[in-house]
Amino acid sequence: MHTPRLYCLSIAGHDPCGGAGILADIKTFEQNKTYGFGVITAITYQDEEACYGVKWLSYKSIEQQIKPLYKYPVRAVKIGLIQNSETLELVIDTITYYFPRAKIIWDPVLSATKGFEFHNHLRVDESLIDKIDLITPNTMEYRQLGLKKFPHANILLKGGHKLNNKGNDSLITNNLVKNIPGEPMGYEANKHGTGCVLSTAIAAHLAQGKNMEEACQKGKRYVEQFMQSNNSKLGYHA
């Protein structure tokens, strides 16, 4: 008899190749010993090489997917690709209503790796930031969203795009910065979906009661394992 698993939820886009988005999130939840639910926010037309387009789902369609899950005690929710600030706020309020104990992690996907822009106008304010337990931007997203203005937010600034200390992440909380160092790698494939995988792994560990720093460290180790799983752009979860 297996020990029951805690429930987590991904609210994200559908990537048909499974390297990123909701399919990658569900694989990540599974490998990190949680049970993952999935709610789709958008249908993307992409593979591991490029994104060719996106079809957004309305907030009403998102809400209708969330409603049947209310009976489950979801402990963490990862939000990925989302259409706009208004939809993001409505989704967060819906999560808070149905799953009041859940930690909320937002991975702000603004563009695909090959330059396809999902957003160039997404804006956040303090009232929205206060509802989120952790935001996981890369350097460009951190600047574009103006997250420096919110010193009391929990932000994991990902190091993959840094010019210096590349691969080392920074956990910023209450104006304090803690380094989350990367491990040396035998080889590093340019994986599709690493941001999705990292934020989801962190969500899984927060659901299991880890504190923020430990959850970020364990998420970092998991995504490094994912990156070294093979030398293609589609990583394995094992």
Side-chain angles (χ1 to χ4, degrees):
M1 181 69 68
H2 293 288
T3 304
R5 294 190 174 191
L6 296 171
Y7 297 111
C8 293
L9 169 61
S10 169
I11 301 177
H14 173 63
D15 169 11
C17 76
I22 206 155
L23 293 178
D25 292 349
I26 298 303
K27 297 172 192 176
T28 302
F29 281 140
E30 183 78 14
Q31 289 298 323
N32 284 276
K33 309 302 181 187
T34 57
Y35 188 92
F37 297 123
V39 166
I40 294 175
T41 60
I43 298 169
T44 68
Y45 313 119
Q46 66 177 306
D47 54 25
E48 72 276 22
E49 299 292 343
C51 183
Y52 311 100
V54 59
K55 179 179 180 180
W56 298 106
L57 272 67
S58 67
Y59 164 70
K60 185 174 180 60
S61 295
I62 296 168
E63 182 190 28
Q64 287 175 329
Q65 294 175 75
I66 295 172
K67 277 185 175 180
L69 304 175
Y70 79 93
K71 60 188 175 182
Y72 299 99
V74 171
R75 300 295 295 272
V77 180
K78 174 264 178 77
I79 302 172
L81 184 63
I82 202 134
Q83 184 175 10
N84 51 43
S85 305
E86 292 76 19
T87 303
L88 176 61
E89 186 156 17
L90 287 168
V91 166
I92 288 173
D93 287 343
T94 302
I95 294 166
T96 303
Y97 178 77
Y98 285 112
F99 313 117
R101 295 182 62 194
K103 299 289 187 183
I104 299 176
I105 298 86
W106 178 38
D107 180 28
V109 183
L110 303 186
S111 64
T113 302
K114 293 296 183 180
F116 182 92
E117 286 195 3
F118 294 112
H119 304 289
N120 56 19
H121 56 275
L122 194 65
R123 298 291 180 266
V124 293
D125 59 27
E126 191 166 1
S127 64
L128 182 61
I129 293 294
D130 286 344
K131 299 174 184 178
I132 301 170
D133 293 285
L134 179 68
I135 308 171
T136 60
N138 61 33
T139 305
M140 181 275 293
E141 293 160 345
Y142 180 79
R143 286 198 290 259
Q144 188 170 330
L145 291 169
L147 293 175
K148 191 176 181 179
K149 297 182 297 185
F150 308 106
H152 301 297
N154 289 324
I155 297 169
L156 183 70
L157 181 57
K158 295 179 289 193
H161 293 80
K162 289 180 179 177
L163 296 178
N164 299 315
N165 296 318
K166 185 178 176 66
N168 292 322
D169 301 341
S170 299
L171 177 60
I172 307 166
T173 178
N174 291 325
N175 277 328
L176 298 175
V177 180
K178 295 181 180 178
N179 188 41
I180 309 291
E183 293 286 343
M185 294 190 181
Y187 65 86
E188 181 179 340
N190 182 23
K191 290 290 183 290
H192 175 52
T194 52
C196 302
V197 172
L198 174 63
S199 55
T200 304
I202 293 170
H205 287 288
L206 288 174
Q208 295 172 63
K210 306 291 193 306
N211 65 39
M212 190 64 70
E213 185 175 0
E214 186 178 4
C216 290
Q217 289 171 339
K218 287 186 176 294
K220 179 76 169 175
R221 298 292 85 79
Y222 182 80
V223 79
E224 288 172 342
Q225 176 183 309
F226 169 79
M227 291 171 69
Q228 296 185 90
S229 62
N230 60 37
N231 57 7
S232 80
K233 292 186 179 179
L234 294 175
Y236 299 150
H237 296 260

